[in-house]
Amino acid sequence: MSYHSIVMVKQVPDTANISGQVMKPDGTVNRSKLPTIFNPEDKVALELALQLRDRYDGTVRVVTMGPLKASDLLRDCLYMGADEAILVSDRKFAGADTLATSYVLAETLRKLAPYDIIFAGRQAIDGDTAQVGPQTAEKLALPQITYAEAILEAKDRTITVRRKIDHGFEVLEGTLPLLITVVKDAATPRPFRAKRVMAYKNARTLLELEKMAEANSLLYSDQLKDEYVSKGLFIPTLTADDLDIDSSRCGLGGSPTKVHKIESVVLGGSTHETIPATKEGMYGLIDKLMDDHIFG
């Protein structure tokens, strides 16, 4: 039996460079001031979906909610092996918290049904809430398995998953369709495939094609779309109108989470001690660390 998966992925700001200077007055991140990366656990989730397809056949689609720049992320997914990529983008979605984000994603997944499994990373590094996956499952009335670290078996309409817990693991069986969130240690994402990079480097969304037409009077966006669709290089974009959703539940206006204060905290020590690079110095350091209950 083959399985059809959808992976929710996100382009996130590189939080290694985040500071109070990149925050807006409303408490949201000014993403234009930070470089962006593929959210690490979402990339692992995509790898698990691809491994499932490799074992049992089927398809893997990826979907992301974000601005036009997120199309770069979707091309990365195609380079890894995804069969199709979909962008969900609208100014009405800007500034969304997890509640508003999961609402839009849930309505997107309803439109993309049927599917067997929805994969997502456990959490995104820009918010660290681990809420979007479970909230999306709740809105879709789907069972969910969180903190997955391995897909053990898929058989008929069930899937067996090893789930990471403190000091061990659980083995759970779920009935399809269901949603799975994935931890970073579940797999090592495969590298981009050179043939797929060459095949999909020119994949474009409609807005990108419209910008190409604006820059060249000899090009027309409708003709470009038909050409890119025929070549399998068109990345569909879903907007608020396409999803027919309640705008009051989207974006900043539909987000009850508010950031009241942001502080930059710098940790520093007032004293230091030099440990001699000898066996006695090493043993002495270990004893001090154990006495302070840092380890041991």
Side-chain angles (χ1 to χ4, degrees):
M1 182 174 180
S2 60
Y3 297 95
H4 302 286
S5 303
I6 298 179
V7 187
M8 299 192 298
V9 297
K10 186 178 182 183
Q11 188 179 57
V12 294
D14 186 353
T15 53
N17 299 302
I18 202 164
S19 68
Q21 284 69 43
V22 302
M23 303 302 294
K24 299 179 183 178
D26 61 9
T28 60
V29 177
N30 187 347
R31 295 172 183 270
S32 64
K33 291 186 176 293
L34 286 171
T36 55
I37 60 173
F38 198 142
N39 184 57
E41 290 185 331
D42 293 347
K43 196 171 188 179
V44 176
L46 174 56
E47 174 61 29
L48 277 196
L50 293 172
Q51 289 181 11
L52 185 74
R53 186 193 63 188
D54 293 345
R55 289 170 63 184
Y56 299 101
D57 204 4
T59 59
V60 175
R61 291 179 285 172
V62 294
V63 60
T64 190
M65 175 178 140
L68 176 63
K69 184 174 175 55
S71 56
D72 294 336
L73 169 67
L74 295 177
R75 282 185 280 272
D76 287 350
C77 294
L78 293 170
Y79 300 159
M80 279 182 65
D83 297 294
E84 184 182 2
I86 301 102
L87 175 64
V88 181
S89 186
D90 197 300
R91 290 185 181 276
K92 295 177 181 178
F93 303 155
D97 68 358
T98 61
L99 191 68
T101 297
S102 61
Y103 169 63
V104 174
L105 288 173
E107 294 307 307
T108 300
L109 291 164
R110 290 187 205 279
K111 190 175 185 67
L112 297 179
Y115 48 77
D116 298 306
I117 305 166
I118 300 168
F119 285 92
R122 173 184 60 105
Q123 65 184 33
I125 62 173
D126 55 350
D128 286 337
T129 64
Q131 293 174 352
V132 170
Q135 286 178 347
T136 303
E138 286 295 312
K139 289 178 172 64
L140 293 171
L142 290 179
Q144 58 182 289
I145 299 176
T146 57
Y147 292 77
E149 60 180 6
I151 305 297
L152 301 180
E153 183 183 28
K155 186 176 182 181
D156 298 326
R157 300 303 299 167
T158 63
I159 189 166
T160 306
V161 176
R162 188 172 73 234
R163 178 179 186 267
K164 185 176 182 178
I165 59 174
D166 289 341
H167 310 299
F169 63 88
E170 296 175 332
V171 175
L172 303 178
E173 184 179 87
T175 302
L176 305 182
L178 89 171
L179 183 144
I180 298 173
T181 69
V182 178
V183 298
K184 64 180 179 180
D185 299 327
T188 300
R190 65 192 64 188
F192 297 161
R193 298 179 181 178
K195 287 185 177 179
R196 294 189 68 89
V197 172
M198 295 303 296
Y200 290 105
K201 66 180 182 180
N202 293 320
R204 294 291 184 269
T205 63
L206 179 59
L207 187 54
E208 288 176 312
L209 296 179
E210 290 174 345
K211 288 190 173 185
M212 289 170 58
E214 289 175 3
N216 187 337
S217 60
L218 299 178
L219 299 176
Y220 297 92
S221 58
D222 289 343
Q223 293 177 352
L224 283 173
K225 178 182 175 182
D226 292 340
E227 177 186 346
Y228 276 68
V229 168
S230 67
K231 293 179 179 179
L233 296 176
F234 183 66
I235 299 175
T237 302
L238 299 178
T239 65
D241 291 338
D242 295 319
L243 299 174
D244 191 24
I245 57 180
D246 182 356
S247 296
S248 67
R249 298 178 62 183
C250 302
L252 192 61
S255 302
T257 305
K258 306 299 178 187
V259 178
H260 294 288
K261 187 177 182 181
I262 300 168
E263 293 183 8
S264 296
V265 179
V266 178
L267 300 178
S270 58
T271 61
H272 72 278
E273 181 179 348
T274 301
I275 306 297
T278 61
K279 184 181 292 186
E280 291 76 15
M282 180 182 69
Y283 289 150
L285 174 60
I286 292 173
D287 290 339
K288 289 181 180 179
L289 293 173
M290 294 183 69
D291 289 342
D292 291 337
H293 301 287
I294 295 175
F295 68 76

